[in-house]
Amino acid sequence: MIATMRGVVVARRVGPLRCLYSQFRGAYNVESLHPQQSSSAIPKVPASPSDNPLQFNGYIPTEEIDKSFSTSSGPGGQHVNRVATRAIIRFNVRTAKWLSDDLKKRLTERYSHRINNEGDLIIASERTRKQHLNLADCFDKLRTAVYECSEELTKENRQPDPEKAEELRLRQEQANRMRLLEKRRHSMKKEGRAKDF
Amino acid sequence: MGSKSATERALNYLRRAPRVTLTDVRDNPGARTKGRLVRKKDNMAGQQYNDLRGAGKPPLGWIWGDFYKPWQRIYPGATFFNQDINLRREYPPLSLLELQRLIDLGWLDPSLPIDLTALCNTRQYRCDPSLRQFGVQLTDEGASVFAAKVNLEGASVFAAKVNLEVQWASETAIAAVERAGGVVTTAYYDPIALTAAVDPLKWFEKGEPIPRRHSPPADLIGYYTDARHRGYLASPPAVEAARSELALKIGYALPDRTDDAQHDMLAARKDPLQVFFGLAPGWVVNLADQTLLKPKNPRLLHYYSGRLDASKDS
């Protein structure tokens, strides 16, 4: 194999760490595969709360939320008695910087059953057998709760579109006309059953 | 006649042939055969013996005979289940618990990138390409039940900061490694490259040049180009976005990467054609003389650089 090569370069021994990350670049290196990344190709992950006070973009600063773990309930013998798989997250709704005032208010109203006297929203999960999955479930519940409040607020505060209003009026008139037409038809059907002597 | 190409000759034949109908587009006799199908008489051909019913079961398809005549080979016509049994890929699992154990006991050095080669060199993990095994599957067992490693939040977490290159990884396993400040990449190794990777010493002793890795097959391209799986063919900005998204989803804060001491190690990635860190495909490792032999022939350089075009200048 080596004898048929026209030439051969014999490299001296190099120290291990210096040559470890020396880069070989083939035709399929990652930069060539993705040369100009269009901004739409990369998903945008929120890194800060939304500017719109009624909207929630999914950002939750996990450092500002207290996480604690305890043992779960139910059957399971030694494992359930000893391993802390139940995850509990809590934070004070009033002092949360990542929630707008509107969202705070709505959250307090809708989830009053999860809020204690000090104003701490507490969410617990023992859905799975793993602690990290239960923690993920807690955050999932929190995110869902805030999303629901945000959707409610957005829906309540939407401004009616003038073009839509005109369309709606025309539709209502059409519906009224159809209703009266059907009423007349029904009436004629009933009259047609009467006997004229 | 000899100067014409096969296409030309075929077209000439077609021009002179009578009208082609649907009956002409049929197989030659004996071209296709149906495999033997299961008949009524074959019912209960196997594991009905009393003592065997409660015993540990033999490999899939074994029916009372030698192990080289499993059911799916005797009845190849029964394709409704396990037809592709011989084509399926396996990924022997490696849990986070096992990985942490290997690091703690000194089998693995976390200050160097950990890839399939490093794992196989420990001899505590085994991957056999001849058994259709395609690499390491990282599972999340041990992500939270490792009591010795407790962080400030009171959760027990996987604690080693590693640069891992595996072949398959679950989402929660990726989350556990990234939470500790490590990096996970999933990369595909075709069977020949895999043979070199799992036992480099044996490969070098053969005197064969280091192979170039080939691209994943069609059904795996989607996996390895996806940033959510940290695929080696995904774009780096998409992988960064997926990292932040996963942190939000699972509920941990991404550690800041200002620790420059390990930055080079954590940023180290192999080229998609590369099998070993620091070694390029096409090189021959001479262990006896402790030297590397690199090819100079342009054709070889062209091939090992991964180029597909017919021009020999690389």
Side-chain angles (χ1 to χ4, degrees):
Chain A
M1 175 67 196
I2 297 163
T4 58
M5 286 186 211
R6 253 190 274 140
V8 133
V9 171
V10 177
R12 289 192 192 283
R13 186 179 184 194
V14 197
L17 282 173
R18 238 193 309 156
C19 80
L20 191 67
Y21 311 134
S22 62
Q23 278 313 305
F24 158 74
R25 265 176 80 97
Y28 297 108
N29 62 80
V30 174
E31 287 81 30
S32 311
L33 288 174
H34 305 274
Q36 286 130 19
Q37 201 70 55
S38 63
S39 53
S40 59
I42 305 162
K44 287 192 177 47
V45 183
S48 58
S50 169
D51 296 324
N52 183 351
L54 302 176
Q55 195 197 23
F56 177 59
N57 61 2
Y59 170 70
I60 301 176
T62 46
E63 320 84 58
E64 286 165 33
I65 293 176
D66 300 322
K67 303 161 198 121
S68 58
F69 305 94
S70 72
T71 51
S72 293
S73 62
Q78 246 184 31
H79 190 275
V80 78
N81 291 341
R82 296 197 187 182
V83 178
T85 49
R86 180 169 204 247
I88 305 152
I89 60 171
R90 64 169 69 209
F91 69 100
N92 194 305
V93 184
R94 262 176 260 137
T95 59
K97 282 175 254 163
W98 53 281
L99 283 170
S100 68
D101 292 330
D102 297 295
L103 278 172
K104 279 182 196 172
K105 188 157 171 268
R106 185 54 60 97
L107 203 64
T108 319
E109 284 164 14
R110 275 195 71 159
Y111 294 93
S112 54
H113 57 281
R114 282 195 187 148
I115 297 176
N116 68 4
N117 284 338
E118 276 116 55
D120 291 342
L121 179 65
I122 305 167
I123 297 174
S125 172
E126 48 178 51
R127 192 171 167 190
T128 72
R129 294 190 61 180
K130 305 281 185 185
Q131 186 193 69
H132 61 287
L133 294 176
N134 286 338
L135 185 70
D137 191 42
C138 287
F139 275 98
D140 191 40
K141 286 183 186 174
L142 174 60
R143 237 190 321 270
T144 316
V146 185
Y147 262 127
E148 279 176 5
C149 295
S150 144
E151 271 171 21
E152 255 188 15
L153 280 169
T154 314
K155 200 168 174 185
E156 284 165 16
N157 288 290
R158 61 161 188 242
Q159 303 302 322
D161 195 8
E163 285 127 22
K164 258 282 163 68
E166 179 60 24
E167 235 182 85
L168 279 167
R169 191 187 65 81
L170 286 168
R171 273 197 223 155
Q172 264 180 332
E173 280 189 9
Q174 170 73 351
N176 217 21
R177 255 180 273 138
M178 287 306 293
R179 182 182 60 80
L180 290 169
L181 188 68
E182 278 302 313
K183 196 173 181 183
R184 265 173 239 134
R185 278 192 192 151
H186 186 72
S187 179
M188 281 171 71
K189 179 167 100 174
K190 290 300 208 176
E191 273 176 41
R193 291 179 187 166
K195 289 198 173 106
D196 267 341
F197 295 113
Chain B
M1 190 71 155
S3 61
K4 289 193 194 148
S5 72
T7 322
E8 273 188 63
R9 278 186 274 143
L11 282 170
N12 280 334
Y13 174 84
L14 254 182
R15 269 184 217 117
R16 279 179 264 132
R19 198 194 310 187
V20 177
T21 60
L22 206 60
T23 49
D24 296 314
V25 191
R26 62 171 187 260
D27 289 336
N28 282 328
R32 274 185 242 239
T33 50
K34 277 200 183 136
R36 191 186 335 194
L37 292 167
V38 181
R39 306 287 174 206
K40 192 176 163 193
K41 67 171 175 63
D42 301 317
N43 192 17
M44 297 206 292
Q47 306 290 342
Q48 298 302 311
Y49 192 64
N50 278 335
D51 289 349
L52 289 175
R53 265 189 280 154
K57 299 304 180 192
L60 197 73
W62 184 74
I63 47 164
W64 201 267
D66 65 62
F67 286 89
Y68 299 100
K69 286 189 200 138
W71 194 90
Q72 64 267 18
R73 258 181 244 168
I74 299 171
Y75 298 108
T79 55
F80 30 84
F81 57 89
N82 289 328
Q83 181 188 10
D84 62 343
I85 192 83
N86 297 318
L87 300 174
R88 286 187 201 158
R89 287 180 280 261
E90 279 186 12
Y91 295 88
L94 178 80
S95 65
L96 285 172
L97 192 63
E98 180 68 16
L99 182 64
Q100 187 68 61
R101 182 182 146 264
L102 291 172
I103 292 167
D104 289 342
L105 293 175
W107 291 104
L108 286 171
D109 183 3
S111 68
L112 293 174
I114 295 173
D115 60 350
L116 176 65
T117 309
L119 272 168
C120 291
N121 284 343
T122 65
R123 295 287 192 241
Q124 302 300 303
Y125 176 83
R126 201 187 146 89
C127 175
D128 192 348
S130 64
L131 298 175
R132 289 291 291 183
Q133 290 176 355
F134 275 70
V136 183
Q137 180 192 163
L138 194 67
T139 59
D140 64 349
E141 185 181 344
S144 56
V145 193
F146 204 71
K149 308 282 175 192
V150 177
N151 74 357
L152 291 167
E153 295 162 334
S156 43
V157 294
F158 176 77
K161 195 164 161 181
V162 290
N163 179 351
L164 269 179
E165 193 200 59
V166 294
Q167 280 63 54
W168 203 272
S170 67
E171 189 183 53
T172 37
I174 293 169
V177 175
E178 290 184 344
R179 182 188 192 159
V183 162
V184 189
T185 315
T186 49
Y188 175 76
Y189 284 72
D190 59 282
I192 294 173
L194 194 72
T195 312
V198 302
D199 201 343
L201 199 65
K202 195 170 165 183
W203 187 271
F204 297 153
E205 281 171 358
K206 286 203 285 187
E208 295 260 345
I210 294 170
R212 53 152 281 192
R213 262 158 65 193
H214 290 272
S215 75
D219 51 350
L220 284 178
I221 284 263
Y223 186 88
Y224 290 108
T225 46
D226 196 347
R228 287 212 185 92
H229 304 131
R230 307 295 184 272
Y232 71 126
L233 299 173
S235 78
V239 169
E240 275 300 311
R243 248 173 68 94
S244 320
E245 197 182 6
L246 191 61
L248 276 181
K249 180 177 178 182
I250 303 283
Y252 58 89
L254 269 179
D256 57 340
R257 292 178 285 185
T258 50
D259 179 10
D260 281 328
Q262 282 191 296
H263 176 263
D264 285 340
M265 187 277 287
L266 291 172
R269 301 275 185 283
K270 286 184 202 168
D271 186 86
L273 300 174
Q274 213 177 354
V275 178
F276 304 111
F277 274 116
L279 297 173
W283 293 0
V284 179
V285 177
N286 186 342
L287 289 170
D289 302 331
Q290 298 273 297
T291 54
L292 290 169
L293 299 159
K294 305 179 188 179
K296 268 168 113 175
N297 186 321
R299 258 198 195 171
L300 288 169
L301 291 171
H302 189 86
Y303 170 76
Y304 285 115
S305 68
R307 286 177 173 85
L308 287 174
D309 50 329
S311 72
K312 286 155 211 157
D313 329 318
S314 51

